[in-house]
Amino acid sequence: MAKPKTDPNYKVIAENRRARFDYAIEDDLECGIVLTGSEVKSLRETSANIAECYATVENGELWLVNSYIAPYERAMFGHEERRRRKLLVSRKELARLWNDTQRKGMTIVPLVLYFNHKGVAKLKVGIAKGKKTVDKRETEAKRDWNRQKQRLLKERS
């Protein structure tokens, strides 16, 4: 059987693994992101960090706040490492995000920053509600039990 070809353009740049532990993700959404040339070049060769950032709706626009993109050394005109970056979504999605954050008290959390199959930088954001400490313990216990169950099944077969 032939191996499926992997897409050479698809590349995960940064992932916020902590988000699924700290938040109960109810829905996710793919957004475009407005970047400068040096930011794109920096993303292609180095890493970025989206662990401490969040998204917010202000004045009818969606913004990514406190995300880190390393500076690109060979750039003629560099960029600020932690500047606010505009996220691109449709008006309908923006209205839904605003409604969820303002009325329902939810948070927009970035999950994954990646280049899609066309080579365009995208950001997957999740609409989430913060977990309490009890919920976090419950998630951790469930994950540990699943690991233990897999070990037991592996030993039996």
Side-chain angles (χ1 to χ4, degrees):
M1 199 152 105
K3 286 169 78 174
K5 294 182 180 178
T6 58
D7 194 354
N9 290 331
Y10 184 83
K11 179 183 173 188
V12 174
I13 302 160
E15 188 173 4
N16 189 357
R17 297 178 69 201
R18 183 95 182 148
R20 297 202 185 271
F21 180 74
D22 290 336
Y23 299 96
I25 312 279
E26 293 191 4
D27 194 19
D28 61 350
L29 173 69
E30 184 182 64
C31 304
I33 184 168
V34 177
L35 300 170
T36 62
S38 63
E39 288 172 332
V40 175
K41 288 186 176 240
S42 178
L43 288 177
R44 291 223 182 261
E45 73 175 24
T46 61
S47 64
N49 187 2
I50 59 169
E52 299 112 22
C53 68
Y54 62 95
T56 181
V57 179
E58 293 175 5
N59 300 329
E61 295 176 335
L62 186 62
W63 293 92
L64 183 65
V65 181
N66 202 28
S67 63
Y68 175 80
I69 297 178
Y72 185 65
E73 286 87 32
R74 297 187 300 266
M76 198 172 212
F77 303 103
H79 63 273
E80 289 181 43
E81 298 169 5
R82 292 200 179 266
R83 74 176 181 92
R84 294 165 49 99
R85 293 168 176 91
K86 187 174 179 180
L87 298 177
L88 305 172
V89 292
S90 69
R91 285 184 186 164
K92 185 178 179 182
E93 291 168 341
L94 185 67
R96 185 172 60 95
L97 289 172
W98 184 87
N99 187 30
D100 287 345
T101 57
Q102 297 299 318
R103 293 189 180 154
K104 296 180 183 176
M106 303 186 77
T107 308
I108 306 170
V109 182
L111 301 173
V112 182
L113 178 63
Y114 62 95
F115 286 110
N116 68 359
H117 66 281
K118 293 181 181 177
V120 178
K122 297 286 184 176
L123 180 73
K124 183 177 271 193
V125 296
I127 301 150
K129 194 162 204 96
K131 285 185 182 176
K132 301 213 180 335
T133 308
V134 176
D135 298 332
K136 291 179 187 178
R137 285 190 203 124
E138 191 176 296
T139 303
E140 194 171 339
K142 199 179 291 183
R143 184 176 57 234
D144 290 343
W145 167 241
N146 285 334
R147 274 194 209 131
Q148 187 177 7
K149 189 166 55 172
Q150 289 301 322
R151 283 188 200 123
L152 291 172
L153 290 173
K154 190 176 181 181
E155 289 173 4
R156 300 238 177 195
S157 60

